[in-house]
């Protein structure tokens, strides 16, 4: 007999869980119990939700309902403490999620300075990098994920499921540890906008993340940047700039033909920033392509008047990528040129390169 299709509860809003409860003719307050068990207590299976009566749990199970659609299949630890997880979904397909613990000081994976925070002894900080799609369709020429093409969008439950799987694996205590989320894994979040935003709301309302601890990176899907600006609850915005002019950007990011730098910069200028908030621009440095002095000058001109900062990322190389990584001195000079022009610029240090976990390296590498 074929197994009945599995239906995840994780990914449902409180209202949607209320509908499930109603359908089972259970009292209304069970919806709150379910919501809390799944999102705040992060219980991985119905058996463990002991606040619910057994008959209710069995009824849900008989209908194929399970808690999470995301299970850790394999993990790859790096020498630097980073862990790359292969997370499997109900259809047998998997995505990657990366755990990056932060040491004392230095720069967090989202580019924020540790100095921003009040130093507290024994306080744990880490960043989880989450995927939004299986593969990616944007086809940036420096990115390994692009080589997969796009298989499908992830559901909100599959996005939140990655976070919960990693929080549980690392035994995170949300009250005591400071965890950031960056939507910078596989895929283009703004091409899966509604599920991505639903996941954000569940992470805030259910799991207990504040919006200021989340950052989403987009390659520049201009209409969604406008939509995103009017969301009442939203992560911080990062934009993958990667080039100083249209001519170069078109060569490495085909989407620039649809949304060129004029349009992108207009969207950035129009973006309603919160108090003290800045837009982050990511810039992948490719040797002799976009890393010269004149390029830094063009970037400075382009960003004039935008409240922003720049995260520089020296290319993480990989098979089939036709670019090279610049010398450290070149990266440093580029950074200094921006800083001298008054633009805060940081160099994102590569995390987990040895296990193919660094930016642009997520390709479901199994070794
Ligand atoms: N798709 C979204 C988010 C995921 S990519 C986006 O592109 O913004 C996260 C960041 O990694 C992007 O800024 C991207 O430009 C960068 N990146 C991609 N491939 C890279 C590589 N090989 N080396 C360094 N950074 C890379
Ligand atoms: Fe997709 Fe981002 Fe990679 Fe471009 S850099 S192919 S948008 S994941």
């Amino acid at each position: 007999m074929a197994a009945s299709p599995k239906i995840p509860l994780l990914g449902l809003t409180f209202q949607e869980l209320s509908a499930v409860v109603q359908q089972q003719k259970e009292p209304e307050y069970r919806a709150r119990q379910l919501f809390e068990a799944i999102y705040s207590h992060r219980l991985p299976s119905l058996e463990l939700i002991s606040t619910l009566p057994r008959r209710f749990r069995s009824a849900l199970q008989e209908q194929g309902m399970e808690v999470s659609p995301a299970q850790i299949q394999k993990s790859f630890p790096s020498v630097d403490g980073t862990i790359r997880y292969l997370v499997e979904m109900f259809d047998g397909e998997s995505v990657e999620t990366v755990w990056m613990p932060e040491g004392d000081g230095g720069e967090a994976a989202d580019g924020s300075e540790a100095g921003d925070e009040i130093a507290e002894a024994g306080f744990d900080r880490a960043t989880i990098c989450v995927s939004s799609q299986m593969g990616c369709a944007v086809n940036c020429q420096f990115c390994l994920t692009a080589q997969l093409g796009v298989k499908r969008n992830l559901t909100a439950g599959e996005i939140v499921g990655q976070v919960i799987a990693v929080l549980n694996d690392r035994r995170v205590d949300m009250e005591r540890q400071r965890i950031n989320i960056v939507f910078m894994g596989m895929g283009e979040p703004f091409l899966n906008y509604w599920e991505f935003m639903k996941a954000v709301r569940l992470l805030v309302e259910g799991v207990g993340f504040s919006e200021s601890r989340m950052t989403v990176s987009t390659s520049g899907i201009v209409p969604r940047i406008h939509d995103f600006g009017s969301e009442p609850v939203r992560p911080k915005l990062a934009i993958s700039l990667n080039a100083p002019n249209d001519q170069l950007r078109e060569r490495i990011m085909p989407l620039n033909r649809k949304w060129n730098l004029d349009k992108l910069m207009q969207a950035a200028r129009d973006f309603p920033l919160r108090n003290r908030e800045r837009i982050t621009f990511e810039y992948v440095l490719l040797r002799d392509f976009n890393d010269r002095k004149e390029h830094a000058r063009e970037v400075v001109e382009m960003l004039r008047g935008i409240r922003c900062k720049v995260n520089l990322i020296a290319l993480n190389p990989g098979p089939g990528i036709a670019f090279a990584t610049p010398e450290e001195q070149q990266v440093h000079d580029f950074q200094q040129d921006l800083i001298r022009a008054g633009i805060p610029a940081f160099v994102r240090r590569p995390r987990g390169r040895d296990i193919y976990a660094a930016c642009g390296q997520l390709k479901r590498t199994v070794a």
Side-chain angles (χ1 to χ4, degrees), residues 5 32 44 58 61 66 86 93 123 139 144 154 167 214 243 304 314 323 340 367:
R32 177 60 54 192
S58 315
Q61 278 167 330
E66 288 189 20
L86 219 50
E93 298 285 346
F123 225 80
N139 205 18
L144 283 177
L154 296 182
L167 291 176
M214 294 191 253
R304 206 173 282 288
F323 292 97
R340 265 195 297 272

Side-chain angles (χ1 to χ4, degrees), residues 98-115:
V98 182
W99 166 264
M100 292 169 280
E102 306 293 340
D104 290 328
E107 189 210 357
D110 69 347
S112 65
E113 304 109 274

Side-chain angles (χ1 to χ4, degrees), residues 132-175:
S132 56
Q133 299 183 301
M134 275 176 185
C136 188
V138 180
N139 205 18
C140 304
Q141 297 302 296
F142 46 81
C143 173
L144 283 177
T145 305
Q147 297 172 359
L148 299 170
V150 69
K151 223 166 198 148
R152 67 173 175 84
N153 279 334
L154 296 182
T155 63
E158 289 170 331
I159 297 171
V160 179
Q162 293 169 64
V163 175
I164 288 188
V166 172
L167 291 176
N168 284 347
D169 187 70
R170 295 289 92 209
R171 300 179 205 283
V172 167
D173 176 352
M174 288 290 289
E175 308 265 297

Side-chain angles (χ1 to χ4, degrees), residues 19 28 71 78 93 107 138 171 178 185 209 226 261 299 325:
E28 238 176 85
Q71 306 300 334
S78 160
E93 298 285 346
E107 189 210 357
V138 180
R171 300 179 205 283
R178 247 192 216 181
F209 282 94
H226 287 293
L261 285 170
V299 169
T325 310

Side-chain angles (χ1 to χ4, degrees), residues 70-88:
Q71 306 300 334
I72 292 172
Q73 193 182 2
K74 218 166 177 242
S75 59
F76 305 89
S78 160
V79 289
D80 67 14
T82 300
I83 305 175
R84 178 169 64 96
Y85 290 96
L86 219 50
V87 180
E88 190 181 23

Side-chain angles (χ1 to χ4, degrees), residues 212-262:
S212 61
R213 301 231 139 257
M214 294 191 253
T215 304
V216 61
S217 172
T218 180
S219 53
I221 314 294
V222 168
R224 293 293 89 74
I225 295 177
H226 287 293
D227 293 341
F228 188 62
S230 56
E231 295 286 353
V233 174
R234 60 158 180 83
K236 294 186 282 187
L237 177 65
I239 295 176
S240 296
L241 182 61
N242 296 339
N245 56 52
D246 281 322
Q247 204 195 353
L248 292 188
R249 198 163 189 265
E250 253 174 41
R251 280 171 56 192
I252 51 173
M253 299 179 77
L255 102 164
N256 197 72
R257 277 178 222 122
K258 190 157 183 184
W259 293 295
N260 63 19
L261 285 170
D262 257 0

